[in-house]
């Protein structure tokens, strides 16, 4: 597959996984769903990368920090998803990586992208019904953790080789959040149907997208990759409409378009 198709397949897989996870909330709760997802994802990657699990001692703090931020990012996002539509949650969360692209830059046009993204979020909140502002706040928090996740990803890449560090980080994140997930979901986590759905969420939301993105990044530049990833809010909105029956009005679609345009502009014009 060409690298562009790999990235787009990863985006689609991630949003289908989010929609499937949303359906688990009624039984497991958001944190329970995160526990199942990270637990299964960690197991799958530990098995796959078992030959690369030995890491240097100096890399251990980075691996643990990466796993903790990954777990907190997912908990915040799933809690937001429990309160607001998928498209809104992903678009607001996307402000995190956009901020990483803009912070520290001194180009005259960067404030334009920031204002465009802010205006997009305001348009997103113009829903036909009441907006759960706690969900908006949780999506912003998820964006903060996503920014930290991006920065720690670079450190993880420098400190480890192969996928062993990622596998250990996912396993640690799952263990870190498991007690809260068990307290929230209880014995529901042991139901065969829930376990099967949780495995599906883990494969669709973690294992498959991460693997596809890793392969794509070996064949295209990070800048092109970033532009393609900017399409994620639109894909999330479509997944919400098709899979979760979460319609969005014209203002909200315009808001998503503003955030996508801001992300593409900031990525395309960023210095290497």
């Amino acid at each position: 597959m060409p690298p562009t198709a790999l990235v787009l397949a990863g985006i689609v897989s991630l949003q289908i996984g989010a929609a499937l996870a949303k359906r688990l909330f009624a039984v497991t709760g958001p944190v329970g769903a995160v526990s199942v997802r990270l637990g299964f994802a960690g197991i799958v990657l530990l098995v796959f990368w078992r030959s690369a699990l030995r890491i240097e001692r100096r890399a251990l703090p980075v691996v643990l920090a990466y796993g903790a931020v990954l777990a907190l990012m997912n908990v915040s996002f799933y809690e937001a998803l429990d309160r607001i539509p998928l498209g809104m949650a992903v678009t607001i969360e996307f402000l995190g990586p956009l901020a990483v692209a803009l912070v520290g830059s001194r180009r005259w046009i960067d404030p334009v992208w920031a204002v465009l993204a802010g205006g997009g979020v305001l348009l997103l909140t113009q829903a036909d019904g009441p907006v759960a502002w706690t969900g908006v706040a949780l999506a912003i928090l998820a964006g903060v953790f996503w920014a930290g996740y991006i920065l720690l990803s670079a450190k993880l890449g420098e400190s480890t080789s192969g996928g062993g560090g990622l596998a250990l980080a996912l396993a640690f994140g799952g263990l870190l959040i498991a007690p809260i997930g068990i307290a929230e979901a209880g014995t529901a986590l042991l139901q065969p149907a829930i376990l099967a759905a949780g495995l599906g969420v883990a494969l669709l939301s973690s294992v498959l997208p991460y693997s596809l993105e890793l392969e794509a990044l070996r064949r295209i530049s990070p800048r092109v990759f970033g532009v393609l990833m900017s399409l994620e809010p639109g894909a999330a909105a479509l997944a919400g409409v098709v899979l979760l029956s979460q319609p969005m009005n014209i203002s909200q679609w315009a808001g998503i378009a503003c955030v996508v345009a801001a992300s593409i502009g900031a990525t395309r014009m960023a210095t290497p």
Side-chain angles (χ1 to χ4, degrees):
M1 292 178 65
T4 300
L6 291 173
V7 176
L8 295 178
I11 290 173
V12 171
S13 175
L14 185 62
Q15 302 313 322
I16 293 175
L20 179 59
K22 169 81 172 178
R23 297 184 180 277
L24 289 176
F25 291 174
V27 179
T28 65
V31 184
V34 173
S35 301
V36 175
R37 170 188 168 179
L38 292 184
F40 274 121
I43 291 171
V44 170
L45 288 176
L46 284 173
V47 172
F48 186 81
W49 290 103
R50 59 187 179 278
S51 61
L53 295 180
R54 296 187 63 179
I55 61 173
E56 297 182 10
R57 183 174 298 179
R58 64 180 179 83
L60 187 59
V62 177
V63 171
L64 297 182
Y66 183 91
V69 168
L70 188 65
L72 292 171
M73 179 182 73
N74 280 283
V75 168
S76 303
F77 175 70
Y78 277 17
E79 289 286 356
L81 187 57
D82 193 36
R83 295 165 171 82
I84 57 178
L86 176 59
M88 183 184 295
V90 171
T91 305
I92 295 174
E93 185 193 26
F94 212 77
L95 296 179
L98 179 58
V100 172
L102 294 177
V103 167
S105 177
R106 296 293 183 269
R107 296 167 304 165
W108 66 268
I109 200 170
D110 285 331
V112 174
W113 307 131
V115 171
L116 186 61
V121 171
L122 289 177
L123 287 172
L124 263 177
T125 60
Q126 305 305 305
D128 294 330
V131 175
W133 290 102
T134 53
V136 173
L138 285 163
I140 293 173
L141 181 62
V144 173
F145 286 125
W146 195 354
Y149 162 81
I150 291 171
L151 299 176
L152 283 170
S153 292
K155 292 291 185 182
L156 187 70
E158 295 170 1
S159 305
T160 63
S161 59
L166 173 63
L168 290 170
L170 273 169
F172 174 71
L175 289 174
L176 189 66
I177 212 69
I180 304 174
I182 293 171
E184 183 176 71
T187 57
L189 292 178
L190 300 178
Q191 296 178 17
I194 298 301
L195 291 174
L199 176 59
V201 171
L203 293 174
L204 289 168
S205 296
S206 296
V207 177
L208 187 58
Y210 293 160
S211 301
L212 292 174
E213 290 169 9
L214 180 63
E215 180 61 25
L217 277 167
R218 292 189 175 117
R219 295 156 59 185
I220 58 175
S221 69
R223 181 176 297 183
V224 174
F225 177 81
V227 170
L228 292 172
M229 288 299 294
S230 299
L231 302 175
E232 193 165 306
L238 286 174
V241 171
V242 175
L243 301 177
L244 297 174
S245 300
Q246 296 176 334
M248 305 188 75
N249 59 36
I250 295 177
S251 294
Q252 291 176 309
W253 281 110
I256 290 174
C258 287
V259 174
V260 169
S263 179
I264 291 174
T267 304
R268 286 282 296 173
M269 301 188 69
T271 54

